[in-house]
Amino acid sequence: MSRRPAAVAASVLTVLVLGAVSACSSTSSAASGGSGGTPTVKLMAGGLDKQIYLPYQLAQQLGFYKKYGVDVQLSTEQDGGVGAEEAMASGQVDMAGAWYNHTIEFQAKGKAVEDVVQLSGAPGEREMCTTKSGVHSGADFKGKTLGVTDLGSGTDTLTQFLAAKKGVKTSQFHRIGVGAGSTAIAALQNGKVDCVMTTQPTVAAIQKKGVGTSAIDLATTSGATAAMGGAYPAASVLARTDWVDSHKATVQKVVDALVATMHWINSHSAADIANKLPTSYVSNQLVTKADYISALTEDKGQFLPDGLMPAGGPKTSLATEQLVGNVKSSVDLSKTFTNDFAIQANKTEGFKTTTTPAGPNG
């Protein structure tokens, strides 16, 4: 999902060393193809076992990468490690399963990165708060301690945005990194934080333990629109623009597989989806399979059915970045995303599209 900035200093050397080697190996593997002429793509996601990122693994489980002629090697970012989008930008991997907003941040830093297929129209996050916190909106953040995945992460940006929308300055509340899963739950349970922004299945575990309830819904497109003023494009596939330009046929295969996956998600139940995912994703120390299915049923509305960037989404994301001060320079939104690959994927398979696509200005 999001960058783990706290680990930047510790991981810079690793990025430089691995990036120098992998930039050549990953690019050449995709260009030359694997056995039988099948191109190989390395894709790192911000947490393969998180519900917000389930399409990447689901496509593998359904055999769609193979069906569309590409060998996608999936990996997941680790706590304290290099974030998926940074690994992609450095050349350690070819693609990143990460949030769209990173393309805007990269452009502001002079780096050309684009979103080639959009999987969700909402962050998939919920602000989980203790009942005694009294938090019902960003207006109630004043004086509170709020947990985010990491300082500088996507959840940190969203937390600051929710406060700013209600006129609350970042100096008026405290933010700390609590990770996800068991560490996020412990922070809430032990009173270290009043609220924590997190995703499923952590949300379900918090509710089941009775240590917190959902105060703000950013988990569905309708919820995000109500809280943020518009659809917020989150989970996507990001790649360096120069890599995309030199590997268009390979990119199309990856997008074909993921667009087919999004239509499959849209036409199947949460139980069907859970049955296709690895057992460890849906039943573990945090949740039972029944809990996972219930949570996915509740938040399945975050997923877009056709892989298209929704109209207004880029503008909402840019406004968020600007409001919290992450981006102060001008941004050309037309260079941060493309719907070309998704449009072609839907056309090739004869899929009906229902998402109104964003134009060049977002």
Side-chain angles (χ1 to χ4, degrees), residues 198-272:
T198 191
T199 63
Q200 299 288 9
T202 307
V203 165
I206 289 173
Q207 294 173 323
K208 190 171 184 178
K209 289 177 179 292
V211 297
T213 58
S214 176
I216 303 174
D217 169 23
L218 299 179
T220 61
T221 302
S222 59
T225 299
M228 306 180 70
Y232 185 89
S236 63
V237 173
L238 312 182
R240 300 181 308 279
T241 297
D242 62 342
W243 191 89
V244 173
D245 289 343
S246 60
H247 297 84
K248 288 187 176 181
T250 298
V251 173
Q252 187 64 63
K253 293 175 186 294
V254 174
V255 175
D256 287 347
L258 285 168
V259 165
T261 301
M262 302 317 294
H263 281 279
W264 195 94
I265 289 172
N266 188 55
S267 60
H268 288 74
S269 68
D272 291 333

Side-chain angles (χ1 to χ4, degrees), residues 131-173:
T131 53
K132 65 180 181 180
S133 70
V135 172
H136 303 288
S137 75
D140 304 315
F141 285 177
K142 190 178 297 184
K144 300 297 191 298
T145 297
L146 307 174
V148 298
T149 308
D150 285 304
L151 295 181
S153 66
T155 54
D156 190 18
T157 297
L158 288 175
T159 297
Q160 294 178 68
F161 177 75
L162 291 175
K165 284 273 287 184
K166 297 296 183 179
V168 178
K169 300 178 180 179
T170 54
S171 60
Q172 295 178 299
F173 59 97

Side-chain angles (χ1 to χ4, degrees), residues 167-186:
V168 178
K169 300 178 180 179
T170 54
S171 60
Q172 295 178 299
F173 59 97
H174 185 52
R175 306 171 346 263
I176 61 173
V178 298
S182 59
T183 55
I185 295 171

